[in-house]
Amino acid sequence: DAMVIQNPRYQVTQFGKPVTLSCSQTLNHNVMYWYQQKSSQAPKLLFHYYDKDFNNEADTPDNFQSRRPNTSFCFLDIRSPGLGDAAMYLCATSRDGTGYEKLFFGSGTQLSVL
Amino acid sequence: KQEVTQIPAALSVPEGENLVLNCSFTDSAIYNLQWFRQDPGKGLTSLLLIQSSQREQTSGRLNASLDKSSGRSTLYIAASQPGDSATYLCAFSGNFNKFYFGSGTKLNVKP
């Protein structure tokens, strides 16, 4: 029944060691989003894909990249993780991104940086 | 800059109480407003969605209202239960498919 699936559930990486988080969806939605959420804070939008069209937020550090090889999958790459990048990373989807639709979230990946 | 404020940040109530969570936003040109539930260390689950043309939505013991002119939304939970304990976040969508979140209200319902 899972519709937005994030792997892994927990990820531990070393300072400066590249890491990739993955997200897949069975909803066939056009839009996929990546949010960063630190403890007790609001989820912060990093970027989103409308189909293959990548949309970066102005304040997203260059250290964060994303790939969407097909409709179902989207990846978040952190090129050189710092201690400040430790957070919950949430993937979400919406059908057409008109702004009138629900957001569907995965369970998140909790990233620790040692 | 879009801002979403949720008050209170935390709330503790005895089981059975009715309660209201508040959300305010700065941009009246919203497309929709959603309320989410987040359990510790988990993702977000959509509870209710209110389109910009609507005033309220109901699902079971939950009722959400929207007042665009004042930039406010409330989530009403009737007859609260310990299983309602979680963090409740509101988010509104504006242009370009973007959703803006508040930092949530952490609810504890005591048995």
Side-chain angles (χ1 to χ4, degrees), chain A residues 79 99 108 112:
Chain A
R79 293 194 294 190
S112 299

Side-chain angles (χ1 to χ4, degrees), chain A residues 16-17 26 34 38 43 48 53 55 59 61 68 71 84 89 93 101 104:
Chain A
K17 184 176 181 180
T26 60
W34 280 104
K38 297 186 177 180
H48 73 276
D53 184 21
N55 298 272
D59 57 355
R68 189 178 185 186
T71 300
Y89 289 88
T93 73
E101 311 147 4
F104 293 84

Side-chain angles (χ1 to χ4, degrees), chain B residues 40-58:
Chain B
K42 300 285 180 64
L44 281 70
T45 301
S46 181
L47 297 172
L48 289 165
L49 178 151
I50 310 176
Q51 303 287 5
S52 59
S53 57
Q54 298 173 322
R55 296 296 295 255
E56 65 178 308
Q57 282 289 326
T58 298

